[in-house]
Amino acid sequence: MEERFDHTLVLNAADPALPMFQAMGLAKVVVVPNCGSEGLAAYLLTEVNRLLMARPELSDRGVTITSVTVHEDSNNKATVSL
């Protein structure tokens, strides 16, 4: 996940400015269905579990992520659980 999100601009898939940012090439752009806290938490929960399932040494042992919390700031956060 660090490689995917470190030093990136995260945009919603439906963002009307997405083509402009991609064409400019000034930043690494990561596109997600919803870049709000709830959307990022759901995306990370799904994506990390997909990556875990691709590693038999982990998936064969039942390793899974059951909850993800994304903090916007010290007052706001979103948690998504299986």
Side-chain angles (χ1 to χ4, degrees), residues 2-10 25-30:
E2 181 178 357
E3 183 179 313
R4 181 170 294 168
F5 288 105
D6 191 33
H7 299 304
T8 62
L9 171 61
V10 180
L26 297 175
K28 180 176 146 186
V29 177
V30 173

Side-chain angles (χ1 to χ4, degrees), residues 46-80:
T46 301
E47 188 64 12
V48 171
N49 278 322
R50 184 189 67 76
L51 293 170
L52 289 173
M53 293 304 292
R55 297 187 58 185
E57 70 275 16
L58 298 174
S59 62
D60 290 351
R61 297 175 73 188
V63 175
T64 186
I65 302 298
T66 59
S67 181
V68 172
T69 301
V70 172
H71 294 260
E72 285 184 20
D73 54 37
S74 61
N75 296 319
N76 300 306
K77 64 183 179 182
T79 299
V80 175

Side-chain angles (χ1 to χ4, degrees), residues 1-37:
M1 291 292 101
E2 181 178 357
E3 183 179 313
R4 181 170 294 168
F5 288 105
D6 191 33
H7 299 304
T8 62
L9 171 61
V10 180
L11 294 174
N12 284 339
D15 190 315
L18 176 61
M20 177 190 67
F21 281 110
Q22 289 174 321
M24 289 172 57
L26 297 175
K28 180 176 146 186
V29 177
V30 173
V31 180
V32 296
N34 177 351
C35 66
S37 293

